[in-house]
Amino acid sequence: MKVVAFNGSSRKGGNTAILCNIVLEELEKEGIETQLVELAKKPLQGCIACYKCFKNKDKRCAVDKDALNDHLQLMLEADGIILASPTYFSDVSATMKALIERAGMVSRANGDLLKRKVGAAVLAVRRAGAIHAFNSINFFFFIGQMIVPGSSYWNLGVGRDIGDVKDDKEGIETMRTLGRNMAWLLKKLHA
Ligand SMILES: Cc1cc2nc3c(=O)[nH]c(=O)nc-3n(C[C@H](O)[C@H](O)[C@H](O)COP(=O)(O)O)c2cc1C
């Protein structure tokens, strides 16, 4: 079994990556293969509403000038998908939004390609707005017929400068529990 995680932060190895890696650590402990994809410095364009994916139905985005189709391929091959983002103006980052728009549209155009895969959101936040961003990611999972495990709190960690989230003990515990619950769910679904 495999889980692929995408970090939508503009800062590679920042708080979002730290939180995400804790979830991945727990999955690895349960024997689940993981991969973290850092989206920083690899800009993704948003959906241009050409609707060619609905016409082509080839499981690909017709805008083939960035890495979207590679990211989508990783999603298709995985059993679980983590979308991790810093909170930017109370929402996900622009890069994460672009990934959601285009992967979401291609999935819908092809009969819900991500159906029944397990999805989890991870958010880093300095102070406020993470719940709104958390919802933005969950909207993607739920409209795509994905299955979403919970944790002991909503999946966020608090911190501003890189590394600050390590001091958020509850946030760290939330990520550990999320990883364990995701592993538990994946094992039930693939028993
Ligand atoms: C453009 C931008 C917008 C931000 N907006 C918010 C916000 O709305 N609420 C908040 O609490 N923190 C906000 N922050 C702070 C980040 O969410 C916070 O520093 C987070 O830990 C960054 O994660 P990273 O280290 O993975 O980049 C913002 C940061 C940036 C760069």
Side-chain angles (χ1 to χ4, degrees):
M1 269 182 296
K2 185 172 174 186
V3 170
V4 64
F6 296 90
N7 176 15
S9 173
S10 305
R11 299 195 298 195
K12 195 176 168 186
N15 291 323
T16 314
I18 292 166
L19 294 167
C20 200
N21 276 322
I22 293 166
V23 183
L24 299 184
E25 244 173 58
E26 293 300 319
L27 289 161
E28 294 266 351
K29 278 185 205 163
E30 295 292 330
I32 293 164
E33 190 193 339
T34 69
Q35 180 179 0
L36 175 64
V37 180
E38 294 267 17
L39 300 177
K41 298 192 179 77
K42 291 174 212 147
L44 278 181
Q45 132 120 59
C47 178
I48 62 164
C50 66
Y51 290 94
K52 285 187 184 155
C53 53
F54 280 86
K55 204 172 127 220
N56 297 342
K57 296 196 188 301
D58 60 356
K59 304 183 183 176
R60 293 179 65 79
C61 178
V63 179
D64 210 3
K65 64 181 184 188
D66 55 27
L68 189 278
N69 282 318
D70 297 337
H71 299 330
L72 185 58
Q73 191 55 38
L74 287 174
M75 288 187 188
L76 295 180
E77 286 163 10
D79 306 291
I81 298 164
I82 295 175
L83 296 188
S85 178
T87 303
Y88 284 175
F89 287 87
S90 286
D91 214 324
V92 294
S93 66
T95 305
M96 180 52 65
K97 189 67 163 66
L99 181 69
I100 286 173
E101 287 175 7
R102 287 169 65 200
M105 211 58 168
V106 176
S107 169
R108 286 181 76 66
N110 290 274
D112 288 338
L113 294 173
L114 308 177
K115 181 177 175 177
R116 297 188 186 145
K117 290 184 190 286
V118 174
V122 168
L123 280 307
V125 59
R126 180 186 72 83
R127 185 173 178 84
I131 296 302
H132 186 259
F134 177 67
N135 289 339
S136 293
I137 295 175
N138 282 327
F139 286 136
F140 167 80
F141 294 146
F142 288 131
I143 199 171
Q145 304 190 47
M146 292 177 66
I147 315 292
V148 178
S151 185
S152 44
Y153 196 82
W154 301 296
N155 312 343
L156 62 94
V158 175
R160 186 187 71 178
D161 297 329
I162 292 178
D164 282 356
V165 283
K166 289 179 188 163
D167 297 327
D168 176 14
K169 294 213 164 20
E170 188 173 0
I172 301 293
E173 205 40 50
T174 301
M175 296 304 145
R176 291 210 182 287
T177 305
L178 177 64
R180 289 195 285 265
N181 287 347
M182 193 173 190
W184 180 89
L185 181 57
L186 280 164
K187 286 180 177 179
K188 292 280 177 200
L189 290 173
H190 295 275

